[in-house]
Amino acid sequence: LKPPLSRFSSPLLRSLRRLSSPPLTVVAMSGGVDSSVAAHLLVERRLSLGLDPRSSALGLHMTNWDAAEEGAECSASRERDLRDVRTTCDALGIGRREVS
């Protein structure tokens, strides 16, 4: 017998799930093409189901860079990734959260 998937999700995702109606779908976004396309497909699917993606989809960006350890080049990449996630979420009309 498998335990429910929600048992393994973070407290942040559990709280977001409780607050949303219709159910919230979260897409992890790196700022790259693959996650941006995944977010776009999510929005298309939500629209095809008659759901408003603004209230049922969320882009979640997790900072995985430590500028102190990685140097200035990494810091610039981190800022670029974050800007790209913001731009994509804004263009798609979905919410976004940033965690580190």
Side-chain angles (χ1 to χ4, degrees):
L1 188 63
K2 293 182 178 180
L5 184 59
S6 63
R7 178 176 174 208
F8 299 106
S9 63
S10 73
L12 171 67
L13 292 179
R14 283 195 302 272
S15 67
L16 289 172
R17 196 175 299 127
R18 279 193 299 272
L19 295 173
S20 68
S21 180
L24 180 68
T25 302
V26 177
V27 62
M29 300 194 63
S30 65
V33 173
D34 294 340
S35 61
S36 296
V37 169
H40 174 75
L41 293 173
L42 170 64
V43 167
E44 281 188 341
R45 179 66 175 152
R46 289 300 198 177
L47 290 171
S48 74
L49 294 172
L51 299 171
D52 182 357
R54 291 173 295 181
S55 63
S56 63
L58 179 74
L60 184 67
H61 177 73
M62 180 175 174
T63 300
N64 294 313
W65 304 104
D66 184 349
E69 291 180 12
E70 303 293 333
E73 185 177 316
C74 176
S75 182
S77 176
R78 176 186 172 275
E79 292 303 317
R80 188 172 43 251
D81 290 345
L82 184 55
R83 183 189 65 233
D84 291 345
V85 168
R86 287 178 181 156
T87 301
T88 300
C89 289
D90 290 348
L92 293 173
I94 63 173
R96 69 177 182 278
R97 295 288 183 273
E98 299 154 16
V99 296
S100 58

